[in-house]
Amino acid sequence: MSGASPRLSPALNVVVSAVRKAGRRLLRDFGEVEQLQVQSKAPGDFVSEADMRAERTLREDLSRARPGFAFLMEESGASGDKDWEWRWVVDPLDGTTNFLHGIPHWAISVGIEKRTGEGKSEVVAGVIYNPAADELFWAEKGMGAFLNDRRLRVSGRRDMTQALFATGIPFAAVPRKGEFVQTLARLMPQVSGIRRFGSAALDLAWLAAGRYDGFWELGLNKWDIAAGLVIVREAGGYASSPDGGDAYAEGNVVAANPHLHPRLREAVSEGIAAVAARRPEGA
Ligand code: IPD
Ligand code: CA
Ligand code: CA
């Protein structure tokens, strides 16, 4: 898709231009990755000049187009009116570890969140852009999900032995390693494959595109999943937390095609329960 598409709402058009521009700069940085300054936020968790620059240009472009919208951004946190009605939820570079290792699997993710009542909100649209592949995944609630100009639909696979799942493996800085190991042990013998490609946003986008049949990861942040969840749902997929709750609020995601969602949810819940059962009471 280039420029304005008749299907894009004005707010999505703003996002598409902003991510394309930030994506061009990220691609340039990716070509000279060894020259970037990199800082460690926590053990195994890095942020580079490229992440910061992308976040700055996205903020400038988005706020110029919609001055009243608030922000939730990975590197700078929440900003703008705290009684916001609309806000941008932005991961300027999802897959930083891949980026820094020269692996072309990373993306910009922007969700548009609307406050719907006291303490309640909903993500109504999202864009995930992979500049290296020039793949733009986008969706708007009630309008369907798209990859560039093509309508997306999750896979129709029903059989676990044919299923390909994606996940995020906990690394040094993040907890819940035991739950991951327990879930993996349950799923491995049942499925066709499990992938860890290193970008939660693209994992969700690829699920929407029918490339994966399901995805799970615990302990994600809103900027990792805002856009991806709406894209998955608009492509006909199901997304919840492991116990069937709100994946966006909890940051714990089980998403899959409708046939396999119950099976994946069961395996993740059992993995979590297995760890809880070993924990001393009150811990
Ligand atoms: C990370 C990626 C990764 C996921 C991590 C995220 P970042 O985001 O989405 O796939 O496993 O939990 O933090 O740090 O590259 O933006
Ligand atoms: Ca991220
Ligand atoms: Ca990031």
Side-chain angles (χ1 to χ4, degrees), residues 160-183:
M160 282 291 271
T161 63
Q162 291 180 12
L164 182 64
F165 291 138
T167 187
I169 303 178
F171 53 96
V174 297
R176 315 201 72 160
K177 297 178 181 67
E179 281 136 326
F180 175 78
V181 171
Q182 288 295 328
T183 301

Side-chain angles (χ1 to χ4, degrees), residues 138-205:
W138 57 281
E140 191 156 13
K141 203 174 164 211
M143 306 290 286
F146 298 83
L147 163 50
N148 299 330
D149 268 336
R150 185 165 60 81
R151 183 85 189 239
L152 294 180
R153 182 82 209 155
V154 292
S155 73
R157 280 185 203 89
R158 294 165 181 264
D159 186 343
M160 282 291 271
T161 63
Q162 291 180 12
L164 182 64
F165 291 138
T167 187
I169 303 178
F171 53 96
V174 297
R176 315 201 72 160
K177 297 178 181 67
E179 281 136 326
F180 175 78
V181 171
Q182 288 295 328
T183 301
L184 194 62
R186 281 166 175 75
L187 280 172
M188 258 188 307
Q190 304 182 50
V191 301
S192 173
I194 297 173
R195 300 285 182 267
R196 196 306 185 234
F197 276 9
S199 161
L202 286 177
D203 290 341
L204 287 164

Side-chain angles (χ1 to χ4, degrees), residues 18-59:
V19 300
R20 285 196 180 278
K21 182 170 149 198
R24 282 193 293 277
R25 182 60 211 241
L26 279 171
L27 267 183
R28 261 187 283 148
D29 285 338
F30 186 62
E32 302 169 355
V33 74
E34 61 294 331
Q35 283 162 40
L36 291 175
Q37 280 179 25
V38 180
Q39 285 167 1
S40 174
K41 297 196 273 190
D45 190 8
F46 298 97
V47 59
S48 76
E49 257 179 295
D51 302 59
M52 306 300 275
R53 195 161 25 229
E55 181 156 313
R56 269 200 311 276
T57 48
L58 288 164
R59 176 194 287 281

